[in-house]
Amino acid sequence: MGKTRFESSVKQIPYPQQAVYDMLSNLENISKVMDRIPADKIKDISFDRDHVSMSVAPVGAIKLAVCEREEPKCIKFQTEKSPVPFYVWIQMLPVTDTTSKMRITAEADLNPFIKTLVQKPLQDGVEQIADGLAQIQYN
């Protein structure tokens, strides 16, 4: 088993770093982006300020919890329920007073067999999440 890391490309956000952090650090704000979540892939979403649960096709039930907030630059999540335990963190950096950039990283302990099965879907998933977060209105 070895740690495998998946990183999105860096996304430019037309909002200040603090606004992005404020929105993403409270998972209750998921309600504002429910229309962007693909219903064919993600179902049964429930959330509160620090947790989100969902059923993800074809993986199954996943529950994530915020495990660390480093205002205004990073939010870290860990799985509380998942077929494969993993961590996710969202990094936000200022570009100007009114713009910022973001990257999402996921890390999991994967054996070589599992890694070959999930590497492409996980990399694609991290990139899709980053694309979605880059399109949110943070004001």
Side-chain angles (χ1 to χ4, degrees):
M1 298 270 276
K3 291 200 184 304
T4 302
R5 186 174 279 197
F6 304 92
E7 290 184 342
S8 73
S9 56
V10 174
K11 305 298 178 181
Q12 300 300 316
I13 312 286
Y15 294 93
Q17 177 188 26
Q18 188 68 50
V20 176
Y21 176 87
D22 290 346
M23 173 87 135
L24 297 180
S25 65
N26 181 350
L27 296 180
E28 290 173 337
N29 289 322
I30 289 173
S31 63
K32 297 177 183 175
V33 296
M34 290 291 284
D35 60 328
R36 296 181 183 267
I37 296 172
D40 60 326
K41 295 185 177 158
I42 300 175
K43 298 180 181 0
D44 305 322
I45 296 176
S46 64
F47 47 85
D48 61 29
R49 185 179 192 295
D50 298 318
H51 303 86
V52 61
S53 299
M54 66 196 89
S55 180
V56 180
V59 178
I62 294 177
K63 183 174 185 179
L64 292 168
V66 175
C67 60
E68 185 179 332
R69 289 179 176 93
E70 188 179 341
E71 186 171 356
K73 57 186 177 181
C74 188
I75 306 159
K76 295 183 180 179
F77 304 85
Q78 66 183 18
T79 53
E80 290 189 343
K81 179 179 184 181
S82 172
V84 176
F86 61 93
Y87 290 90
V88 175
W89 55 99
I90 304 171
Q91 296 165 286
M92 297 140 286
L93 293 170
V95 175
T96 68
D97 287 348
T98 59
T99 64
S100 55
K101 58 186 177 180
M102 170 195 315
R103 175 183 297 184
I104 297 177
T105 304
E107 187 174 88
D109 279 325
L110 302 173
N111 70 44
F113 176 73
I114 296 293
K115 182 177 177 179
T116 60
L117 293 175
V118 302
Q119 188 160 5
K120 175 101 171 85
L122 279 174
Q123 183 62 52
D124 291 348
V126 166
E127 194 65 34
Q128 289 172 351
I129 292 167
D131 285 342
L133 294 179
Q135 296 172 24
I136 293 174
Q137 293 191 15
Y138 289 96
N139 52 4

CSV table of all heavy atoms in Angstrom, one decimal, residues 59-98:
chain,number,residue,atom,x,y,z
A,59,VAL,N,-19.4,3.9,-6.6
A,59,VAL,CA,-18.6,3.6,-5.4
A,59,VAL,C,-19.5,3.2,-4.2
A,59,VAL,O,-19.1,2.3,-3.4
A,59,VAL,CB,-17.8,4.9,-5.0
A,59,VAL,CG1,-17.0,4.7,-3.7
A,59,VAL,CG2,-16.9,5.2,-6.2
A,60,GLY,N,-20.6,3.9,-4.0
A,60,GLY,CA,-21.5,3.6,-2.8
A,60,GLY,C,-21.5,4.8,-1.9
A,60,GLY,O,-21.2,5.9,-2.2
A,61,ALA,N,-21.8,4.5,-0.6
A,61,ALA,CA,-21.9,5.5,0.4
A,61,ALA,C,-20.6,6.1,0.8
A,61,ALA,O,-19.6,5.4,1.1
A,61,ALA,CB,-22.7,5.0,1.6
A,62,ILE,N,-20.5,7.5,0.9
A,62,ILE,CA,-19.3,8.2,1.3
A,62,ILE,C,-19.8,9.3,2.3
A,62,ILE,O,-20.8,9.9,2.1
A,62,ILE,CB,-18.6,8.8,0.1
A,62,ILE,CG1,-18.0,7.8,-0.8
A,62,ILE,CG2,-17.5,9.8,0.6
A,62,ILE,CD1,-17.4,8.3,-2.0
A,63,LYS,N,-19.0,9.4,3.4
A,63,LYS,CA,-19.2,10.5,4.3
A,63,LYS,C,-17.9,11.2,4.6
A,63,LYS,O,-16.9,10.5,4.9
A,63,LYS,CB,-19.8,10.0,5.6
A,63,LYS,CG,-20.1,11.2,6.6
A,63,LYS,CD,-20.8,10.7,7.9
A,63,LYS,CE,-21.2,11.9,8.7
A,63,LYS,NZ,-21.9,11.5,9.9
A,64,LEU,N,-17.9,12.5,4.4
A,64,LEU,CA,-16.7,13.3,4.6
A,64,LEU,C,-16.9,14.3,5.7
A,64,LEU,O,-18.0,14.8,5.9
A,64,LEU,CB,-16.3,14.1,3.3
A,64,LEU,CG,-15.9,13.4,2.1
A,64,LEU,CD1,-15.8,14.3,0.9
A,64,LEU,CD2,-14.5,12.8,2.3
A,65,ALA,N,-15.9,14.5,6.5
A,65,ALA,CA,-15.9,15.5,7.6
A,65,ALA,C,-14.8,16.5,7.4
A,65,ALA,O,-13.7,16.1,7.1
A,65,ALA,CB,-15.8,14.8,8.9
A,66,VAL,N,-15.0,17.7,7.7
A,66,VAL,CA,-14.0,18.7,7.8
A,66,VAL,C,-13.1,18.4,9.0
A,66,VAL,O,-13.6,18.2,10.1
A,66,VAL,CB,-14.5,20.2,8.0
A,66,VAL,CG1,-13.4,21.2,8.2
A,66,VAL,CG2,-15.4,20.6,6.8
A,67,CYS,N,-11.8,18.2,8.8
A,67,CYS,CA,-10.9,17.8,9.9
A,67,CYS,C,-10.0,19.0,10.2
A,67,CYS,O,-9.3,19.0,11.3
A,67,CYS,CB,-10.1,16.6,9.6
A,67,CYS,SG,-9.1,16.6,8.1
A,68,GLU,N,-9.9,20.0,9.3
A,68,GLU,CA,-9.0,21.1,9.6
A,68,GLU,C,-9.4,22.3,8.7
A,68,GLU,O,-9.7,22.1,7.5
A,68,GLU,CB,-7.6,20.8,9.3
A,68,GLU,CG,-6.6,21.8,9.7
A,68,GLU,CD,-5.1,21.4,9.4
A,68,GLU,OE1,-4.8,20.2,9.5
A,68,GLU,OE2,-4.3,22.3,9.2
A,69,ARG,N,-9.4,23.5,9.3
A,69,ARG,CA,-9.7,24.7,8.6
A,69,ARG,C,-8.5,25.6,8.9
A,69,ARG,O,-8.2,25.9,10.0
A,69,ARG,CB,-10.9,25.4,9.0
A,69,ARG,CG,-12.2,24.7,8.6
A,69,ARG,CD,-13.4,25.4,9.2
A,69,ARG,NE,-14.7,24.9,8.7
A,69,ARG,CZ,-15.4,23.9,9.4
A,69,ARG,NH1,-14.9,23.5,10.6
A,69,ARG,NH2,-16.5,23.5,8.9
A,70,GLU,N,-7.9,26.1,7.8
A,70,GLU,CA,-6.7,27.1,8.0
A,70,GLU,C,-7.1,28.3,7.2
A,70,GLU,O,-6.9,28.5,6.0
A,70,GLU,CB,-5.5,26.5,7.4
A,70,GLU,CG,-4.2,27.3,7.7
A,70,GLU,CD,-3.0,26.6,7.1
A,70,GLU,OE1,-3.0,25.4,6.8
A,70,GLU,OE2,-2.0,27.3,7.0
A,71,GLU,N,-7.9,29.2,7.9
A,71,GLU,CA,-8.4,30.4,7.2
A,71,GLU,C,-7.3,31.3,6.8
A,71,GLU,O,-6.4,31.6,7.5
A,71,GLU,CB,-9.4,31.1,8.2
A,71,GLU,CG,-10.1,32.3,7.6
A,71,GLU,CD,-11.2,32.8,8.5
A,71,GLU,OE1,-11.4,32.3,9.6
A,71,GLU,OE2,-11.8,33.8,8.1
A,72,PRO,N,-7.4,31.9,5.6
A,72,PRO,CA,-8.4,31.7,4.5
A,72,PRO,C,-7.8,30.9,3.4
A,72,PRO,O,-8.3,31.0,2.3
A,72,PRO,CB,-8.6,33.2,4.0
A,72,PRO,CG,-7.2,33.7,4.1
A,72,PRO,CD,-6.6,33.1,5.4
A,73,LYS,N,-6.9,29.9,3.7
A,73,LYS,CA,-6.2,29.3,2.6
A,73,LYS,C,-6.4,27.8,2.4
A,73,LYS,O,-6.1,27.3,1.3
A,73,LYS,CB,-4.7,29.6,2.6
A,73,LYS,CG,-4.0,29.2,3.9
A,73,LYS,CD,-2.6,29.7,3.9
A,73,LYS,CE,-1.9,29.4,5.2
A,73,LYS,NZ,-0.6,29.9,5.3
A,74,CYS,N,-7.0,27.1,3.3
A,74,CYS,CA,-7.1,25.6,3.2
A,74,CYS,C,-8.2,25.0,4.0
A,74,CYS,O,-8.4,25.4,5.1
A,74,CYS,CB,-5.7,25.0,3.5
A,74,CYS,SG,-5.6,23.2,3.1
A,75,ILE,N,-8.9,24.1,3.4
A,75,ILE,CA,-9.9,23.3,4.1
A,75,ILE,C,-9.6,21.8,3.9
A,75,ILE,O,-9.4,21.4,2.7
A,75,ILE,CB,-11.3,23.6,3.7
A,75,ILE,CG1,-11.6,25.1,3.7
A,75,ILE,CG2,-12.3,22.8,4.5
A,75,ILE,CD1,-12.7,25.5,2.8
A,76,LYS,N,-9.4,21.0,4.9
A,76,LYS,CA,-9.1,19.6,4.8
A,76,LYS,C,-10.3,18.7,5.2
A,76,LYS,O,-10.9,19.0,6.2
A,76,LYS,CB,-7.9,19.2,5.6
A,76,LYS,CG,-6.6,19.9,5.1
A,76,LYS,CD,-5.4,19.5,5.9
A,76,LYS,CE,-4.2,20.3,5.3
A,76,LYS,NZ,-3.0,19.9,6.1
A,77,PHE,N,-10.5,17.7,4.5
A,77,PHE,CA,-11.6,16.7,4.8
A,77,PHE,C,-11.0,15.3,4.9
A,77,PHE,O,-10.0,15.0,4.2
A,77,PHE,CB,-12.6,16.7,3.6
A,77,PHE,CG,-13.2,18.0,3.2
A,77,PHE,CD1,-12.5,18.9,2.4
A,77,PHE,CD2,-14.4,18.4,3.7
A,77,PHE,CE1,-13.0,20.1,2.0
A,77,PHE,CE2,-15.0,19.6,3.4
A,77,PHE,CZ,-14.3,20.5,2.6
A,78,GLN,N,-11.6,14.5,5.7
A,78,GLN,CA,-11.3,13.1,5.8
A,78,GLN,C,-12.5,12.3,5.7
A,78,GLN,O,-13.6,12.8,6.1
A,78,GLN,CB,-10.5,12.8,7.1
A,78,GLN,CG,-11.3,12.9,8.3
A,78,GLN,CD,-10.4,12.6,9.6
A,78,GLN,OE1,-9.2,12.7,9.5
A,78,GLN,NE2,-11.1,12.4,10.7
A,79,THR,N,-12.4,11.1,5.2
A,79,THR,CA,-13.6,10.2,5.2
A,79,THR,C,-13.9,9.6,6.5
A,79,THR,O,-13.0,9.3,7.3
A,79,THR,CB,-13.3,9.0,4.2
A,79,THR,OG1,-12.1,8.3,4.5
A,79,THR,CG2,-13.3,9.5,2.7
A,80,GLU,N,-15.2,9.6,6.8
A,80,GLU,CA,-15.7,8.9,8.0
A,80,GLU,C,-16.3,7.6,7.6
A,80,GLU,O,-16.4,6.6,8.3
A,80,GLU,CB,-16.7,9.8,8.7
A,80,GLU,CG,-16.1,10.9,9.4
A,80,GLU,CD,-17.0,11.7,10.3
A,80,GLU,OE1,-18.2,11.5,10.2
A,80,GLU,OE2,-16.5,12.5,11.2
A,81,LYS,N,-16.8,7.5,6.3
A,81,LYS,CA,-17.3,6.3,5.7
A,81,LYS,C,-17.0,6.3,4.3
A,81,LYS,O,-17.3,7.3,3.6
A,81,LYS,CB,-18.9,6.3,6.0
A,81,LYS,CG,-19.5,5.0,5.4
A,81,LYS,CD,-21.0,5.1,5.6
A,81,LYS,CE,-21.6,3.8,5.1
A,81,LYS,NZ,-23.1,3.8,5.3
A,82,SER,N,-16.4,5.2,3.8
A,82,SER,CA,-16.0,5.1,2.4
A,82,SER,C,-15.4,3.7,2.1
A,82,SER,O,-14.7,3.2,3.0
A,82,SER,CB,-14.9,6.2,2.1
A,82,SER,OG,-14.4,6.0,0.8
A,83,PRO,N,-15.6,3.2,0.9
A,83,PRO,CA,-15.0,1.9,0.6
A,83,PRO,C,-13.4,2.0,0.7
A,83,PRO,O,-12.8,1.1,1.0
A,83,PRO,CB,-15.4,1.6,-0.8
A,83,PRO,CG,-16.6,2.5,-1.0
A,83,PRO,CD,-16.5,3.6,-0.1
A,84,VAL,N,-12.9,3.2,0.3
A,84,VAL,CA,-11.5,3.5,0.4
A,84,VAL,C,-11.3,4.8,1.2
A,84,VAL,O,-11.7,5.8,0.8
A,84,VAL,CB,-10.9,3.7,-1.0
A,84,VAL,CG1,-9.4,4.0,-1.0
A,84,VAL,CG2,-11.1,2.4,-1.9
A,85,PRO,N,-10.6,4.7,2.4
A,85,PRO,CA,-10.4,5.9,3.1
A,85,PRO,C,-9.5,6.9,2.4
A,85,PRO,O,-8.5,6.5,1.7
A,85,PRO,CB,-9.7,5.4,4.4
A,85,PRO,CG,-9.9,3.9,4.4
A,85,PRO,CD,-10.1,3.5,3.0
A,86,PHE,N,-9.8,8.2,2.4
A,86,PHE,CA,-9.0,9.2,1.7
A,86,PHE,C,-9.1,10.5,2.4
A,86,PHE,O,-10.0,10.7,3.2
A,86,PHE,CB,-9.4,9.2,0.2
A,86,PHE,CG,-10.8,9.6,-0.1
A,86,PHE,CD1,-11.1,11.0,-0.3
A,86,PHE,CD2,-11.8,8.7,-0.1
A,86,PHE,CE1,-12.4,11.4,-0.6
A,86,PHE,CE2,-13.1,9.0,-0.4
A,86,PHE,CZ,-13.4,10.4,-0.6
A,87,TYR,N,-8.3,11.4,2.0
A,87,TYR,CA,-8.3,12.8,2.5
A,87,TYR,C,-8.5,13.7,1.2
A,87,TYR,O,-8.0,13.3,0.1
A,87,TYR,CB,-7.0,13.2,3.1
A,87,TYR,CG,-6.7,12.6,4.5
A,87,TYR,CD1,-6.1,11.3,4.6
A,87,TYR,CD2,-7.2,13.2,5.6
A,87,TYR,CE1,-5.9,10.7,5.8
A,87,TYR,CE2,-7.0,12.6,6.9
A,87,TYR,CZ,-6.4,11.4,6.9
A,87,TYR,OH,-6.2,10.8,8.2
A,88,VAL,N,-9.1,14.8,1.4
A,88,VAL,CA,-9.2,15.8,0.4
A,88,VAL,C,-8.9,17.2,1.0
A,88,VAL,O,-9.3,17.4,2.1
A,88,VAL,CB,-10.7,15.8,-0.2
A,88,VAL,CG1,-10.8,17.0,-1.2
A,88,VAL,CG2,-11.1,14.5,-0.8
A,89,TRP,N,-8.2,18.0,0.2
A,89,TRP,CA,-8.0,19.3,0.7
A,89,TRP,C,-8.2,20.3,-0.4
A,89,TRP,O,-7.8,20.0,-1.6
A,89,TRP,CB,-6.7,19.6,1.5
A,89,TRP,CG,-5.4,19.2,0.9
A,89,TRP,CD1,-4.5,20.1,0.4
A,89,TRP,CD2,-4.8,17.9,0.9
A,89,TRP,NE1,-3.4,19.4,0.0
A,89,TRP,CE2,-3.5,18.1,0.3
A,89,TRP,CE3,-5.2,16.7,1.4
A,89,TRP,CZ2,-2.7,17.0,0.2
A,89,TRP,CZ3,-4.3,15.6,1.2
A,89,TRP,CH2,-3.1,15.8,0.6
A,90,ILE,N,-8.7,21.5,-0.1
A,90,ILE,CA,-8.9,22.5,-1.1
A,90,ILE,C,-8.0,23.7,-0.6
A,90,ILE,O,-8.1,24.2,0.5
A,90,ILE,CB,-10.4,23.0,-1.1
A,90,ILE,CG1,-11.4,21.9,-1.3
A,90,ILE,CG2,-10.6,24.1,-2.1
A,90,ILE,CD1,-12.8,22.2,-1.1
A,91,GLN,N,-7.1,24.1,-1.5
A,91,GLN,CA,-6.2,25.2,-1.3
A,91,GLN,C,-6.7,26.4,-2.1
A,91,GLN,O,-7.0,26.2,-3.3
A,91,GLN,CB,-4.8,24.8,-1.7
A,91,GLN,CG,-4.2,23.6,-0.9
A,91,GLN,CD,-3.0,23.1,-1.6
A,91,GLN,OE1,-3.1,22.4,-2.6
A,91,GLN,NE2,-1.8,23.4,-1.1
A,92,MET,N,-6.7,27.5,-1.4
A,92,MET,CA,-7.1,28.8,-2.1
A,92,MET,C,-6.0,29.8,-1.8
A,92,MET,O,-5.5,30.0,-0.7
A,92,MET,CB,-8.4,29.3,-1.5
A,92,MET,CG,-9.5,28.4,-1.7
A,92,MET,SD,-10.7,28.3,-0.3
A,92,MET,CE,-9.7,27.3,0.8
A,93,LEU,N,-5.5,30.5,-2.9
A,93,LEU,CA,-4.5,31.5,-2.8
A,93,LEU,C,-5.0,32.8,-3.5
A,93,LEU,O,-5.6,32.7,-4.5
A,93,LEU,CB,-3.2,31.0,-3.5
A,93,LEU,CG,-2.5,29.8,-2.8
A,93,LEU,CD1,-1.4,29.3,-3.7
A,93,LEU,CD2,-1.9,30.2,-1.5
A,94,PRO,N,-4.6,33.9,-2.9
A,94,PRO,CA,-5.0,35.2,-3.5
A,94,PRO,C,-4.2,35.4,-4.8
A,94,PRO,O,-3.0,35.0,-4.9
A,94,PRO,CB,-4.7,36.2,-2.5
A,94,PRO,CG,-3.6,35.6,-1.7
A,94,PRO,CD,-3.8,34.1,-1.7
A,95,VAL,N,-4.8,36.0,-5.8
A,95,VAL,CA,-4.1,36.5,-7.0
A,95,VAL,C,-4.0,38.0,-7.0
A,95,VAL,O,-3.0,38.6,-7.1
A,95,VAL,CB,-4.8,35.9,-8.3
A,95,VAL,CG1,-4.1,36.5,-9.5
A,95,VAL,CG2,-4.8,34.4,-8.3
A,96,THR,N,-5.2,38.6,-6.8
A,96,THR,CA,-5.3,40.0,-6.6
A,96,THR,C,-6.3,40.2,-5.4
A,96,THR,O,-6.7,39.3,-4.8
A,96,THR,CB,-5.9,40.8,-7.8
A,96,THR,OG1,-7.2,40.4,-8.0
A,96,THR,CG2,-5.1,40.4,-9.1
A,97,ASP,N,-6.7,41.5,-5.1
A,97,ASP,CA,-7.7,41.7,-4.1
A,97,ASP,C,-9.0,41.2,-4.4
A,97,ASP,O,-9.9,40.9,-3.5
A,97,ASP,CB,-7.8,43.2,-3.8
A,97,ASP,CG,-6.6,43.8,-3.1
A,97,ASP,OD1,-5.8,43.0,-2.6
A,97,ASP,OD2,-6.4,45.0,-3.0
A,98,THR,N,-9.3,41.0,-5.7
A,98,THR,CA,-10.6,40.5,-6.1
A,98,THR,C,-10.6,39.2,-6.8
A,98,THR,O,-11.7,38.7,-7.2
A,98,THR,CB,-11.2,41.6,-7.1
A,98,THR,OG1,-10.4,41.7,-8.2
A,98,THR,CG2,-11.4,42.9,-6.4
